[in-house]
Amino acid sequence: MRRRQFVGLTGAALFSAVVGSTSTTENPASGIDELAAAMTEPLPQLMREPTDLSPLAAAVYDAKNAYQACHYTQVLFMLPPLLRSLRAAGTVMDGADLQQAHKLSAEAHHVAASILLKHEDKGLAWLAADRSVQAAHASESPLMIGSSARIITHALMDGGHHRAAYINATKAAEHMSAEFTNPTANDLSVYGSLLLRGAIAAAKHGTRAATFELLDEADQAGQRLGHEGNHMFTAFGPNNVLCHRVNIALTMGDAGTAIEAARRVDIDALPINERKAILLIDTTRAFLMWGKHEQALHVLRAAGQIAPEEIINRPTTLRLVRDLMETAPISVRRDAREYAESLGVTA
């Protein structure tokens, strides 16, 4: 195999470049531009021999942790050097090392697609999601293939392809379950998360029976897991299933059921801030749908305290802030307007 330089960096220098040179004060738009370049530019001719994959594995782990902590701008600036290094690794390694590089690439592109979906960059998100799936299949890891099926399902939903998303998630879950003999916590978590993603897609498609069938199957997987975990970075567990019941009730236009489900969630048991913030934002939507503007404002502020970037850097959440401000009754309007203006949102 032809040898090339490993992105000009090895060992500690590579790790530092990937995880040590980010700034959350940067503009997310410039981070997205750099991410786009990293995913599309030609791989340069390189000179050095590759090192082991440990620094890249550590960088992927840190990027996933930062994403789940809702440090999205930081992640945007972590990803480009990481993706470049993983691309280079795929050209110089073979055997077990190459399979591990593919696994890491699948995970890193999964994070990239997730960030891009939050920023509503559909085209680039689809590219990252497809790269994740391709790398997962190249790794020949059934668990990684199942995990990456989640992000393709998400990208399909984001593009309005709800039927295709539902079918993709369902088939991937069926394939996983057919392989089960003594499933691990990782297996149950990826499987359950696929079912939840499929349930949301089915709800958006208007397939009510399938929606609740998938939710119930996910609940069974959560009960079998028996705890709130974050295996394979899924944040899967019984409370996560409840969070998805909130979202699905909203999708079906049932604010009362959404709020009832939200009240059953033990938010302190949820293992990651991203999941907590999304629950609170969904609850905000439910209160707003129900005409309870004061409660909606209170819950939205709580989400912003837990995860500021879920509010300030997401177009969909800023639209929610604007909706709240514009529809608030006189008794809440001033507080809603002040909060909106603090985020730079104007009528």
Side-chain angles (χ1 to χ4, degrees):
M1 179 176 290
R2 183 179 179 184
R3 297 289 177 176
R4 298 177 179 176
Q5 179 189 8
F6 197 51
V7 198
L9 298 169
T10 58
L14 172 60
F15 184 80
S16 176
V18 174
V19 303
S21 60
T22 60
S23 170
T24 57
T25 63
E26 297 280 359
N27 182 357
S30 63
I32 293 174
D33 287 343
E34 183 65 15
L35 183 55
M39 287 198 294
T40 58
E41 67 194 8
L43 192 65
Q45 291 293 320
L46 304 168
M47 301 297 293
R48 294 184 187 172
E49 293 287 314
T51 63
D52 66 74
L53 288 168
S54 298
L56 288 174
V60 170
Y61 180 85
D62 284 352
K64 292 171 80 172
N65 272 328
Y67 174 83
Q68 290 194 327
C70 303
H71 299 154
Y72 301 136
T73 306
Q74 179 186 0
V75 177
L76 279 173
F77 286 89
M78 296 169 74
L79 284 171
L82 174 57
L83 295 182
R84 289 185 175 105
S85 296
L86 287 168
R87 287 180 66 201
T91 69
V92 299
M93 292 185 169
D94 55 17
D97 284 342
L98 180 58
Q99 286 189 315
Q100 178 63 12
H102 286 316
K103 289 180 184 179
L104 294 174
S105 182
E107 292 182 297
H109 281 96
H110 192 142
V111 175
S114 298
I115 285 277
L116 291 163
L117 287 170
K118 286 184 181 290
H119 285 277
E120 299 186 355
D121 193 320
K122 298 179 188 295
L124 207 55
W126 178 258
L127 176 60
D130 183 63
R131 293 268 177 90
S132 178
V133 170
Q134 295 301 324
H137 281 275
S139 77
E140 301 180 359
S141 166
L143 190 61
M144 195 58 61
I145 291 169
S147 181
S148 286
R150 295 182 297 136
I151 193 59
I152 279 289
T153 301
H154 195 169
L156 284 167
M157 281 193 292
D158 193 69
H161 306 292
H162 305 311
R163 181 177 181 275
Y166 158 61
I167 291 172
N168 180 75
T170 302
K171 287 188 177 297
E174 288 174 352
H175 183 77
M176 285 196 72
S177 65
E179 301 291 326
F180 282 167
T181 51
N182 186 26
T184 65
N186 283 348
D187 293 328
L188 289 169
S189 297
V190 171
Y191 172 70
S193 296
L194 269 170
L195 292 171
L196 291 176
R197 195 61 60 85
I200 293 175
K204 290 181 179 293
H205 186 244
T207 314
R208 190 178 184 90
T211 299
F212 290 106
E213 181 181 346
L214 290 167
L215 272 175
D216 289 343
E217 289 179 16
D219 187 58
Q220 291 171 18
Q223 296 303 324
R224 189 170 181 182
L225 179 65
H227 62 272
E228 301 301 323
N230 194 25
H231 305 285
M232 293 291 292
F233 289 86
T234 59
F236 182 72
N239 269 283
N240 199 343
V241 177
L242 274 177
C243 290
H244 282 73
R245 290 189 185 276
V246 175
N247 183 276
I248 285 168
L250 273 175
T251 298
M252 294 181 168
D254 190 344
T257 298
I259 292 168
E260 180 183 346
R263 287 171 176 156
R264 293 163 55 201
V265 178
D266 179 0
I267 193 169
D268 292 329
L270 294 173
I272 64 170
N273 279 355
E274 195 253 359
R275 186 67 262 168
K276 294 176 182 179
I278 295 300
L279 169 67
L280 291 172
I281 291 168
D282 280 347
T283 306
T284 298
R285 295 183 192 281
F287 275 126
L288 191 57
M289 188 184 295
W290 214 9
K292 305 289 186 180
H293 289 76
E294 185 174 1
Q295 291 93 328
L297 179 59
H298 176 75
V299 175
L300 187 59
R301 280 174 165 161
Q305 290 173 354
I306 290 173
E309 288 198 60
E310 271 292 339
I311 308 297
I312 62 175
N313 284 336
R314 291 201 64 188
T316 183
T317 312
L318 292 176
R319 287 194 293 270
L320 176 63
V321 172
R322 181 173 286 107
D323 288 346
L324 196 158
M325 173 183 64
E326 291 178 349
T327 61
I330 293 174
S331 59
V332 184
R333 189 172 302 160
R334 179 178 176 181
D335 288 343
R337 183 169 296 165
E338 287 178 354
Y339 180 63
E341 288 174 352
S342 75
L343 301 174
V345 176
T346 56

